[in-house]
Amino acid sequence: MASANDSVNEHEKELVGWFYPPDKLKSEAYVSSMDQYKETYQKSIDDPASFWGDIANEFHWKIPPNQEKFMDFNFDTRKGNVSIKWMEGAVTNISYNMLDRNVEKGLGDNVAFYWEGNFPGDSKQITYRELLSEVCKFANVLKDKGIKKGDRIAIYMPMINELVVAMLACARIGAVHSIVFGGFSAESLAERILDSKCRILITADGSYRGKKLINLKEISDEAIGMCKEEGFVVESCIVVQHVSRGADNGNSDPPVAKRPCPEVPTHFDDVHGIDCWWHDVMSSVSDQCDPCWTDAEDPLFMLYTSGSTGKPKGVLHTVGGYMIYTATTFKYTFDYHPGEVYWCTADIGWITGHSYITYGPLANGATNVLFEGTPFYPDSGRFWDVVDKYNVSKFYTAPTAIRALMKFGKSVVKKSSRKSLKVLGTVGEPINPEAWLWYYHTVGDAQCAIVDTYWQTETGGHVITSLPGATPMRPGAASFPFFGVVPAIVDEHGNELEGPCEGFLVMKQPWPGIARTIYGDHERFERVYFSKFPGYYTTGDGCKRDSNGYYWITGRTDDCMNVSGHLLSTAQVESALVEHDAVTEAAVVSCPHKEKGEGIYCFTTLMEGVEFNEQLKNELKQKVRTKIGPFATPDIIQNAPGLPKTRSGKIMRRVLRHVAKNDKNIGDTTTMADSSVVDTLFENRPNVNFLPD
């Protein structure tokens, strides 16, 4: 059992200065100094056509890009419709560039993916040549079902090789894939299928999360039924035999590891009369399939993300710009070199998995780890066991996972070697300095560079990040813009701020990977991202820039609180709380307050063995007062043994706001990993009297 002292020590927490790239990493890096970064960055914004044109030349084009019309855009809604185009008229195929191109370069026998299942011992690998063969076969399956260029395909699958095969097969024939995270409910899946009119659904019989079995086929059947009720018919449902493989037909290669979990069904009813098994349809098709040559501005995929109205929006990315941007950000952000093993722990159902498990790594001929499991099964050392098993050198995960692992202490991590690690990345939210320091010292043994990447579903790839061989690191800072990205910080009136400042983060010109529209609703695209500050892409995030030019993301602007006239980011308060040795994770929301308008309500998860008492609450309040100021003193600090999270690890602050208001009508909880934590939060909720009547 870990104690409060088994975390980052006080001396480490006082280190607000600089951490520098290790000499060995610096010596082999593509960008090895800040002078080199600045020179390359300047070229990328002064002459983007030349900069990105040189990179585009590394890829295969049926018709190469025209330098005279390499980029065309309008960000200003006052000057007409928002429009973004890169390399329009150039013709390529992204599947060809991910697979055939690498085989032709002699990488056919290189491992593309080491698949590591939920259960230790359940693993296999696939080479680039084998992956090409499987993609061509499944592309032929889709063509046999009448799928053609521009058709939409829904994919609802666990983290298995067939998921990558399916998305690249869609890309090979010009179909548009819409991947839905396997933790979403039937209603959410149906909503996405209906919005994009997907003709085919690709799924699996089920998946495991630790010892929990998720019946994906049952959820899919329910979603297809909901679509039918709305008058839309899904034509076919292709099902991968995953959890039941080997159970009734010997279809297991390699043999399934012993699974200490509930028995899985070996037969599934064809409820809607449209089902077929993946292995059946793949058994009778050719492994040769010519690619469909597509325009650089043809759609590649849509990915649904939350909207402020509650209706998810299908963010649409196109072929050419997305290809060269994810390839470039992957290469430079992780400083990936041939022969290294890279592992991103995200799910492909999110943009991180699209860009930094599939497209970015494969564009560089990388060897990946594809992980189906969780950080905590069969124990909290699983990440580090996998790192050692495959000699992972570049590792990419979320601050949420890091903070969750911190509570188990250093000893679990130190049982592993981790000597292969060179670069540690973070993604999904700003990382607080305390978690950064734990990651740096405990996981990286102070021998790795940390890259804290800032980006969004809409940006397609990293837009602000450090570079591991060049950037002096500051715990918690996103650092500097990536090549081709021109950020600005504006005030509430849209005026650009210079020097050290804090305000709204916007972008002044496009980069190749930026989304082009919201599927079927370009007006919404303009309204959400370009109407608040005409002439800029609005990220929706707050940001500060320090005297050294570093960018620090302060959180969503809609996650700010106006407390007694002070604009305060919830992320600031959370960061202060987790500085205390006793706290492993914190979430802060605003709540109605009789006098202040908005009060500060804090949920804290403690290290194992730490008692929640009045003394601790007072220490935490003082920590916030010292870190931010008296105006930021929390009104309520509540013990939260667990926080409501989606299965991808995001804290559901919407639910926490209901707890703060003592409102038990919390709405839909289908995407919540463990709904029982909400009952505990209501039980622990203190009886407060500052809420309005």
Side-chain angles (χ1 to χ4, degrees), residues 395-592:
F395 179 72
Y396 197 31
T397 196
T400 297
I402 296 167
R403 288 192 293 268
L405 290 167
M406 285 172 66
K407 68 186 296 183
F408 295 98
K410 299 179 182 179
S411 58
V412 175
V413 183
K414 296 302 182 181
K415 291 178 182 177
S416 61
S417 166
R418 294 160 287 104
K419 295 300 183 185
S420 57
L421 289 173
K422 297 179 181 178
V423 175
L424 303 173
T426 69
V427 59
E429 59 185 296
I431 184 170
N432 55 295
E434 295 67 39
W436 192 102
L437 288 164
W438 188 87
Y439 200 29
Y440 179 79
H441 288 289
T442 304
V443 176
D445 288 331
Q447 300 298 311
C448 298
I450 292 183
V451 289
D452 180 5
T453 61
Y454 170 74
W455 60 300
Q456 304 168 314
T457 300
E458 296 84 352
T459 71
H462 308 144
V463 287
I464 300 179
T465 181
S466 54
L467 298 182
T471 313
M473 298 167 281
R474 301 207 69 185
S479 299
F480 297 103
F482 191 75
F483 305 135
V485 176
V486 185
I489 297 176
V490 299
D491 64 17
E492 60 185 1
H493 304 294
N495 301 311
E496 277 194 42
L497 305 175
E498 301 296 332
C501 59
E502 185 166 356
F504 298 89
L505 179 64
V506 297
M507 304 295 176
K508 299 173 70 170
Q509 68 184 43
W511 52 98
I514 188 174
R516 303 304 196 256
T517 190
I518 290 172
Y519 180 75
D521 196 348
H522 192 70
E523 187 277 331
R524 187 182 182 191
F525 181 68
E526 295 179 335
R527 184 178 69 252
V528 171
Y529 302 109
F530 299 92
S531 63
K532 185 176 178 67
F533 302 115
Y536 300 96
Y537 166 82
T538 302
T539 66
D541 284 305
C543 184
K544 68 178 181 180
R545 185 172 52 226
D546 66 21
S547 59
N548 294 294
Y550 281 68
Y551 287 82
W552 302 70
I553 307 302
T554 57
R556 298 296 297 176
T557 51
D558 52 8
D559 281 337
C560 285
M561 303 171 288
N562 194 336
V563 180
S564 300
H566 297 280
L567 192 63
L568 184 66
S569 164
T570 57
Q572 289 177 280
V573 182
E574 290 165 359
S575 182
L577 290 168
V578 297
E579 279 194 5
H580 196 290
D581 285 343
V583 178
T584 183
E585 190 165 32
V588 174
V589 297
S590 64
C591 62

Side-chain angles (χ1 to χ4, degrees), residues 642-654:
L643 293 170
K645 297 179 181 179
T646 64
R647 294 185 182 93
S648 65
K650 284 194 174 181
I651 297 171
M652 300 177 73
R653 286 177 171 79
R654 168 183 64 81

